Each structure stands twice: as C-alpha cells, then as structure tokens.
Amino acid sequence: MPKYYFEDFTPGQTIEYGPRLITREEIVAFASQFDPQPMHLDEDAGRKSLLGGLGASGWHSCGIMMRMIYDAVLHESASMGAGGVDEVRWLRPIRPGDRLTLRGTVIEGRVSRSRPEMGILSVRYELHNSHGEHVMTMVTPQMLYRRKSGAPA
C-alpha cells in the first residue's frame, strides 16, 4: 500500500535524499553503451573538452536523478508516472568521486479535470555535488493517485 498520495504534498514542501557516490566505472560504462563521446570515456579527452575533465553524460545524469527520486519518494507513493519533463538543465559536469544529493521542491499541485482520481504535481528537482554546487535541475509534472478518490491500495 502506498504511503504517499497527491494530498500528502503541498507547494513549498521539500524532500532531500543522498548522498550517492558516483564512480569513474559507472560513468564510463554508461557512456560506452549510450553516449560514447570521448569526454565521457577518457580523462585526457575530457580535459581537452568543455567539461575540463571526465564527466558523466547528461543522459546518465538524468538516470542518476531518476533513481534518486525513486529512492527518495516514488517507491512509497501512489505514482502514476509522468507525462514528460518540462525542463532539464545540466549546469556542471558530474565527476568521478562526486557525492550527489537530491532536493525536490513542490511548485504546485492540481486535480486533473479529465481524471479526478489523479492529481498532478509540478516539482523542481536539483542535484548538488560534493561541494554544494548545483550540477543539474529538472522540472517535471508528476501524476499521483488521490487518496480521496478510492485509488487502488
């Protein structure tokens, strides 16, 4: 049975999660399979790039953030998924050895007009590195069952 439903979230509410250690091996493994650009595979190539060193692919960063969101809240929620992502910003490279923390802030929530059993939250997520610097932001709508609608347990 889910612990959190749409009604459990209010504008301004925050969640925090982490840290999660990022390794060189996972950066290279992801890049090898999905984004084999040199700056994601090799330290020397990374130093010669705009990244200034080996850095995780932006798509890897999205995957890391999604896993942290799941671990922080989604696995205990009445999540119905998301209809997309409104905004993603990659602000700084994620480096081997970074310990990432996640912060999510509810921007707003509304009940769906066409599906009254569902509420839609707009949430801004931020990833911070070991130095407290923002490395990534994402704004996304999240769909959750409403407790009051007789949602499935």
Side-chain angles (χ1 to χ4, degrees), residues 37-89:
Q37 297 181 75
M39 68 279 225
H40 304 313
L41 296 168
D42 177 76
E43 284 84 355
D44 288 334
R47 276 192 289 281
K48 294 174 186 171
S49 76
L50 289 174
L51 298 182
L54 182 70
S57 161
W59 301 112
H60 185 196
S61 304
C62 289
I64 291 167
M65 179 181 269
M66 184 64 229
R67 180 59 198 233
M68 293 179 77
I69 293 167
Y70 175 82
D71 290 344
V73 70
L74 287 184
H75 75 286
E76 294 185 310
S77 75
S79 174
M80 298 172 76
V85 173
D86 293 335
E87 174 186 305
V88 171
R89 299 275 184 245

Side-chain angles (χ1 to χ4, degrees), residues 13 32 52 98 134:
Q13 182 179 354
S32 295
D98 273 346
H134 284 81

Side-chain angles (χ1 to χ4, degrees), residues 101-135:
T101 56
L102 172 78
R103 179 181 180 94
T105 304
V106 177
I107 299 169
E108 64 182 359
R110 66 177 178 82
V111 175
S112 171
R113 286 186 285 280
S114 62
R115 296 193 58 193
E117 75 278 10
M118 178 174 70
I120 303 167
L121 299 175
S122 178
V123 184
R124 176 184 171 84
Y125 290 104
E126 302 169 345
L127 277 183
H128 299 88
N129 65 17
S130 307
H131 307 289
E133 301 166 321
H134 284 81
V135 296

